[in-house]
Amino acid sequence: MIELIKKVVKQILKLFRKPVPYLTAQISYLSPNERLKGKKIIITGGGRGLGEAMTRRFVAEGADVLIVGRDEESLKQTSLGVGCQYIRFDVTDFEHIEDFLKKANKLLGGANVLVNNAGISLHEGDIRNVSFEQFDKQINVNLKSSYFLSQKFLKLYEKNRCSKGSILFVSSVRGRYVDDIPYGLTKAAINSLTQGLSKLLVKNDIRINAVAPGVTASAMTGREVGGNMYAPQYATGRTYQPEEIAEIACFLICDASSCLSGQIIYCDNGNSVNSHRK
């Protein structure tokens, strides 16, 4: 009897619940024209989400791409579907980063672009809920792996006397603000690293930039790719699709953006701009 009453109450509540609007967006892409021909790119976390979208875009633009991650099944599916190479590797296996990069470099025939995309967010809410384990895990994946992958990549790049290379970090609009949880702190550090490396390497023929998306549909954010983009809590009223961010990433590593280094491109329609306007 109690269960029946619960079902009746749920049905009554549904009658008064406002329907959730379904929102899509008109997204435009540049036609492929081999903008990345000659680029040999390593993408961490390339098997799914934004990493997969970037892989598809980069291959369509003529790049040779190698993706890396822990989930071999998703890596294999993306590799077969897109036409790229892959290596199963955990980016937090710091002792073997150099070995991994040497193998990737050999498979690509001389890597000249590194995309530090692998990242996690554990959505703790605030500092009261953060454990030692959660803190260390996000620092290791989001910051420490990107730092030491970049370090070893730079050494390999300079040893091979490559040119017109770049390192692209995937940051977040969260990195623009003060924060008290590990995810935001790691992204703020990535922003600092992007500009610090750019200043250090300005004369080394290698550019360092970052793309910083707003909330983008992925497994990490719990938003379905190609699904409802409606998000009233954001000033723009919507989330973003990974293909949109991949388009910006493509521009940042192509030679047409050769005058850009040390730039952090916030992809949120200006939502993160510091303004008195709401």
Side-chain angles (χ1 to χ4, degrees):
M1 187 65 178
I2 294 176
E3 291 300 319
L4 179 60
I5 293 172
K6 286 182 179 179
K7 288 182 180 180
V8 171
V9 171
K10 284 183 179 180
Q11 292 300 321
I12 292 172
L13 289 175
K14 282 183 180 180
L15 295 175
F16 293 96
R17 190 180 299 160
K18 290 183 179 180
V20 177
Y22 193 93
L23 179 67
T24 59
Q26 291 290 93
I27 301 171
S28 299
Y29 308 104
L30 294 175
S31 299
N33 63 358
E34 296 191 327
R35 283 186 291 169
L36 299 183
K37 188 175 182 180
K39 301 296 183 186
K40 298 178 183 294
I41 307 171
I42 299 169
I43 305 178
T44 67
R48 61 180 65 177
L50 177 55
E52 180 186 359
M54 288 191 291
T55 300
R56 290 183 181 279
R57 189 60 182 159
F58 297 169
V59 170
E61 290 290 351
D64 293 322
V65 177
L66 183 145
I67 57 177
V68 56
R70 293 182 300 176
D71 183 356
E72 185 158 12
E73 187 57 35
S74 64
L75 291 171
K76 185 181 292 186
Q77 288 181 5
T78 298
S79 173
L80 292 173
V82 177
C84 65
Q85 300 183 76
Y86 78 87
I87 296 176
R88 184 184 178 277
F89 179 71
D90 183 345
V91 294
T92 64
D93 182 3
F94 304 116
E95 291 184 3
H96 296 100
I97 282 179
E98 191 168 1
D99 294 335
F100 154 70
L101 284 174
K102 285 180 179 178
K103 183 178 180 180
N105 184 66
K106 185 175 181 180
L107 287 172
L108 286 171
N112 53 18
V113 178
L114 171 66
V115 179
N116 286 300
N117 168 67
I120 57 171
S121 175
L122 299 181
H123 311 290
E124 302 94 340
D126 65 39
I127 192 173
R128 297 177 183 87
N129 307 313
V130 179
S131 67
F132 293 136
E133 182 182 4
Q134 290 170 322
F135 185 92
D136 288 344
K137 190 171 184 178
Q138 290 170 95
I139 292 293
N140 286 341
V141 175
N142 298 355
L143 178 59
K144 190 175 178 179
S145 71
S146 294
Y147 187 95
F148 286 104
L149 277 164
S150 299
Q151 179 198 68
K152 302 301 183 185
F153 176 81
L154 282 171
K155 289 181 178 180
L156 197 62
Y157 180 91
E158 291 171 345
K159 180 181 178 181
N160 293 339
R161 298 182 180 180
C162 296
S163 61
K164 293 187 176 182
S166 64
I167 296 175
L168 180 70
F169 293 97
V170 175
S171 181
S172 165
V173 294
R174 191 80 183 242
R176 191 179 181 97
Y177 307 110
V178 296
D179 214 330
D180 62 292
I181 62 173
Y183 180 77
L185 297 176
T186 60
K187 294 306 182 180
I190 287 295
N191 289 354
S192 178
L193 179 60
T194 298
Q195 296 187 323
L197 282 180
S198 171
K199 205 67 174 172
L200 174 69
L201 301 168
V202 67
K203 296 180 180 180
N204 292 53
D205 202 20
I206 181 167
R207 299 183 297 114
I208 317 293
N209 291 295
V211 60
V215 177
T216 306
S218 70
M220 187 172 75
T221 62
R223 299 276 178 167
E224 183 183 354
V225 176
N228 189 3
M229 301 174 71
Y230 179 67
Q233 66 269 42
Y234 306 121
T236 52
R238 74 175 181 93
T239 56
Y240 298 92
Q241 295 297 318
E243 291 79 11
E244 296 180 87
I245 313 305
E247 188 76 25
I248 305 302
C250 184
F251 172 70
L252 286 173
I253 63 176
C254 81
D255 292 339
S257 63
S258 60
C259 63
L260 296 181
S261 192
Q263 301 306 302
I264 303 160
I265 307 300
Y266 294 97
C267 305
D268 67 344
N269 287 105
N271 187 46
S272 58
V273 172
N274 184 16
S275 171
H276 70 281
R277 299 186 185 277
K278 301 297 183 183

